[in-house]
Amino acid sequence: MKVLITDEISQEGLQPLLDDPRISVDVKLGLPVAELHRLIGGYDAIITRSGTRVDPPLIDHARQLKIIARAGVGIDNVDVEYASKKGIIVVNAPFGNTNSAAEHTLALLLSLCRNVTLANPSLKGGEWKRAPFTGHELKGRTLGVIGLGKVGGRVALRAKAFEMEVLACDPYISEKRAEDFGVKLVPLEDIVRYADVISVHTPLNDETRGMIGDAQFAGMKDGVIVVNCARGGIIDEAAMLSALESGKVLGAAFDVFSEEPPESETVKRLIAHPRMIVTPHLGANTFEAQKNVAVDVSRELVNYLDGRPMENAVNIPRFDPDLMEHMRPFMGLISQMGEFLSQLAPANPDKIIFTYTGKLARYDCAPLTVCGLAALLNRQTEVEVNMVNARLVARTMGIAVEEVRTTETESFSNLVTLAIHTPEGRRTLAGTLFEGMPKIVKMRDFQTDFTPEPHMLVISYADRPGLIGKIGTILGEEGVNIGNMNLGRRAKAGEAMVVLSIDSPAADAVVERIAKAVEASFLKQVHMTTVK
């Protein structure tokens, strides 16, 4: 295997490659794009950090490339979809820098509380002032951790050592996992209301972008402290600046920004604010972290050569080809079911059961289980979840995974059922294939018959005359067209569940109008990325 390294990588971390006689390593830093395109065709693997864009033109020139290795968590600089189409495996190192990020969070928090960044230049400038730099203790304060993953969990444990009370908000981990950290799981509203210090540790996605904004700052305690060492954009920067300027927030510490390097006036003003401590995305910048991520990707390349599973592959699964031929028609079904159910189920799952009924159960259904598990978890963790690492991620989140197979069936020749167990109860979804098309045939104990669409509304209410008409009228008034509708109910005038596919997303205000009009006991808008 010939390996090209295009960015600064820890030499010590590359030792697994250097020790393997089957592998030759070339280090060529700062190559012009044209030169990189000329050279890449002779290599089997490339290792990068963030300085090299692995885009379609580069991949097209990489005629024998088998692996793209990103020595870090983020893969923003790699076109994973295009690499997948070319049959190239993409691996990253999602855990090597977690300790560094957690320690940096505490470093910023302590520096802010003890005025280190102000006292240091004062003393170096020849002054001896103490009173202006009187600080605050962490002991006895309440820390609100948003996102109790690898980094957030470590921050919580370290905060406990400072004798802080710790609340955590993470709807995607089990209560047992929170108990392992010695923290209390609460909704985001309670973090906002009760925390003296708020630290975010979630991935940046549609669900988390701007999750801390003007409304959340308004509900916080006066004198709260806010820390972001996760991803820029999770905290609305304009709202953050306003909260600092108004005095609502005592101080803030950011390592990450929505623009890196910053260009907008808002971000520049935020960075310059006197009660703001900032660093230029240094969370993973320790010698130890750089060594760890280099070791992780180096081992993945050796695993590939040895034919062993690659735990941190983000795209290409490795299953028996004959088995995959049997499973392939159902993989799209279970992916859609997983994504659909992940948006409807209550928070904090502790067990997920996959049940396969009918002819399908004659085969090893492991590919389907990990495919469905990846779809269920992929919105809910900072790690890219795929068929290779899905079980590992579930175990890390404290979620038990069970698989049940039975060839006995009543209504369908093949049936796939997902069941999520949470503290609020059990939620189930069952689906099958009809002439190759995915069909959802059961939700909870309602019989249904619909195909997942990109935009959907799921509504439960007490069945009364005229309510379907009200829903249609409200959507029509707002210019939202209904594509399909499926109604299920237990009995006449009993609880009803309606599933609507709509041509475009409904605004939050529209959803609220519908909920009020039909006195909905449950209403959720679902957006499906696996459906085109």
Side-chain angles (χ1 to χ4, degrees):
M1 175 182 277
K2 291 187 64 178
V3 179
L4 177 63
I5 297 174
T6 59
D7 294 319
E8 289 281 358
I9 304 291
S10 164
Q11 186 75 8
E12 190 178 359
L14 294 174
Q15 207 60 45
L17 301 183
L18 302 176
D19 291 342
D20 195 314
R22 300 170 297 173
I23 299 173
S24 64
V25 178
D26 291 334
V27 179
K28 298 181 184 295
L29 308 180
L31 288 173
V33 172
E35 180 69 4
L36 180 56
H37 286 181
R38 187 182 70 81
L39 291 174
I40 193 64
Y43 290 92
D44 303 292
I46 182 173
I47 301 178
T48 75
R49 289 185 65 194
S50 56
T52 302
R53 289 205 61 79
V54 186
D55 53 13
L58 176 59
I59 293 171
D60 284 339
H61 283 84
R63 292 177 295 277
Q64 66 185 54
L65 199 66
K66 300 175 180 65
I67 300 180
I68 299 165
R70 168 68 166 89
V73 179
I75 50 174
D76 299 344
N77 59 315
V78 179
D79 193 319
V80 177
E81 183 176 352
Y82 196 75
S84 300
K85 291 178 181 178
K86 295 288 186 177
I88 300 170
I89 299 173
V90 180
V91 301
N92 67 345
F95 305 121
N97 57 20
T98 54
N99 189 69
S100 291
E103 289 186 1
H104 195 66
T105 301
L106 270 296
L108 291 184
L109 176 58
L110 288 166
S111 297
L112 179 63
C113 288
R114 300 310 300 267
N115 294 306
V116 172
T117 59
L118 299 176
N120 178 66
S122 172
L123 182 56
K124 286 180 179 290
E127 298 176 332
W128 185 265
K129 295 181 179 179
R130 299 175 65 197
F133 308 124
T134 303
H136 301 273
E137 291 187 0
L138 295 181
K139 179 182 178 180
R141 290 178 178 263
T142 298
L143 170 66
V145 176
I146 302 174
L148 201 63
K150 286 284 186 179
V151 178
R154 287 173 181 257
V155 169
L157 288 174
R158 285 153 178 73
K160 296 283 287 184
F162 282 99
E163 299 180 67
M164 299 184 78
E165 297 293 325
V166 182
L167 304 176
C169 169
D170 192 328
Y172 307 118
I173 69 162
S174 65
E175 289 186 327
K176 180 183 181 302
R177 183 64 172 165
E179 291 171 2
D180 292 342
F181 286 114
V183 305
K184 181 181 179 182
L185 275 181
V186 298
L188 178 61
E189 293 76 14
D190 285 359
I191 296 279
V192 168
R193 182 179 180 185
Y194 296 114
D196 301 300
V197 179
I198 295 176
S199 186
V200 296
H201 300 283
T202 70
L204 179 66
N205 53 36
D206 291 341
E207 185 178 355
T208 62
R209 184 176 283 104
M211 71 185 301
I212 303 296
D214 288 323
Q216 287 71 34
F217 281 116
M220 292 180 190
K221 290 182 175 181
D222 292 337
V224 68
I225 293 171
V226 179
V227 183
N228 185 7
C229 284
R231 286 287 184 269
I234 296 170
I235 297 174
D236 184 288
E237 289 156 332
M240 180 77 259
L241 180 60
S242 296
L244 283 167
E245 291 176 339
S246 70
K248 179 73 174 184
V249 173
L250 175 69
F254 278 32
D255 181 50
V256 290
F257 304 90
S258 60
E259 305 166 345
E260 296 182 358
E263 295 181 358
S264 73
E265 189 62 29
T266 298
V267 179
K268 289 180 178 179
R269 285 176 58 201
L270 179 64
I271 290 171
H273 196 279
R275 293 200 308 281
M276 188 84 179
I277 288 183
V278 293
T279 49
H281 207 145
L282 299 182
N285 269 39
T286 63
F287 293 108
E288 293 83 359
Q290 297 311 312
K291 174 187 173 183
N292 290 341
V293 296
V295 167
D296 287 350
V297 296
S298 296
R299 286 176 177 165
E300 288 287 64
L301 267 60
V302 175
N303 286 340
Y304 174 83
L305 274 181
D306 291 338
R308 294 196 299 263
M310 303 174 70
E311 290 189 351
N312 297 323
V314 300
N315 59 346
I316 304 297
R318 293 172 64 88
F319 289 108
D320 179 76
D322 292 334
L323 175 63
M324 291 301 290
E325 285 304 310
H326 292 293
M327 297 294 105
R328 201 175 307 280
F330 292 91
M331 294 179 76
L333 167 67
I334 202 165
S335 292
Q336 292 184 22
M337 290 174 62
E339 184 180 16
F340 191 89
L341 188 56
S342 71
Q343 299 176 66
L344 298 179
N348 311 120
D350 49 49
K351 183 165 65 174
I352 302 173
I353 301 175
F354 294 81
T355 302
Y356 305 102
T357 308
K359 298 177 181 178
L360 182 65
R362 299 173 183 171
Y363 302 101
D364 178 6
C365 294
L368 294 183
T369 297
V370 292
C371 187
L373 195 57
L376 279 165
L377 302 180
N378 211 21
R379 290 172 173 258
Q380 302 149 9
T381 174
E382 66 270 22
V383 178
E384 177 78 21
V385 186
N386 56 74
M387 293 179 67
V388 176
N389 66 0
R391 288 186 181 274
L392 175 64
V393 172
R395 189 161 61 248
T396 300
M397 297 168 73
I399 301 172
V401 179
E402 296 182 7
E403 183 180 305
V404 178
R405 288 188 290 159
T406 175
T407 56
E408 297 180 6
T409 182
E410 296 179 0
S411 303
F412 301 95
S413 59
N414 290 295
L415 188 69
V416 177
T417 304
L418 305 186
I420 294 183
H421 293 249
T422 76
E424 293 184 26
R426 170 184 166 120
R427 293 291 185 270
T428 59
L429 189 72
T432 189
L433 292 175
F434 182 73
E435 296 183 349
M437 291 291 294
K439 287 278 188 180
I440 306 301
V441 297
K442 189 174 182 180
M443 293 177 61
R444 293 166 49 197
D445 53 351
F446 291 96
Q447 301 300 319
T448 61
D449 181 13
F450 67 90
T451 298
E453 300 284 351
H455 309 293
M456 309 189 77
L457 289 173
V458 180
I459 313 169
S460 292
Y461 53 86
D463 191 20
R464 302 189 305 278
L467 296 188
I468 293 292
K470 286 185 178 181
I471 295 171
T473 299
I474 292 171
L475 290 173
E477 290 173 351
E478 300 291 343
V480 179
N481 191 52
I482 298 174
N484 288 291
M485 183 190 79
N486 180 260
L487 175 66
R489 59 181 184 174
R490 295 192 181 95
K492 291 181 179 179
E495 184 183 6
M497 175 180 287
V498 64
V499 180
L500 299 169
S501 67
I502 50 181
D503 290 351
S504 58
D508 291 342
V510 178
V511 174
E512 291 174 8
R513 277 190 65 193
I514 294 173
K516 186 175 181 180
V518 302
E519 298 178 10
S521 57
F522 178 89
L523 197 162
K524 184 73 174 182
Q525 185 164 203
V526 176
H527 302 291
M528 299 288 291
T529 61
T530 52
V531 180
K532 303 302 182 185

